[in-house]
Amino acid sequence: STRGAMMVQTNDVITCANGTLGTKDTSATLPASPTKVAIGQGQAGGNFCFGYLSEFAIIPGAVSDANLQRLAA
């Protein structure tokens, strides 16, 4: 199985899979008032995830790279 985590802030987006950090995106723009969170599909409605989620959490606030790795290890 794969464990993943993602941290999203304006100009600071990074993913982590099985404890390995991806490349940080430092040019991300976010809506001022988000209206939805799409889980298991791409933003435009495609790229569906076919499988099961055994756990899911939204953690308010920024998470350090080390904590992101711990969550996805």
Side-chain angles (χ1 to χ4, degrees):
S1 69
T2 300
R3 291 185 59 100
M6 182 176 195
M7 197 275 300
V8 179
Q9 293 188 110
T10 300
N11 299 325
D12 190 5
V13 175
I14 191 163
T15 60
C16 188
N18 295 325
T20 302
L21 291 171
T23 303
K24 188 172 285 202
D25 181 350
T26 58
S27 61
T29 57
L30 302 176
S33 298
T35 58
K36 70 177 182 175
V37 174
I39 300 166
Q41 70 180 33
Q43 181 179 4
N47 301 319
F48 294 101
C49 170
F50 295 101
Y52 297 94
L53 295 175
S54 62
E55 293 180 50
F56 179 83
I58 295 177
I59 301 170
V63 175
S64 70
D65 290 353
N67 280 337
L68 200 63
Q69 287 178 294
R70 183 183 57 77
L71 290 167

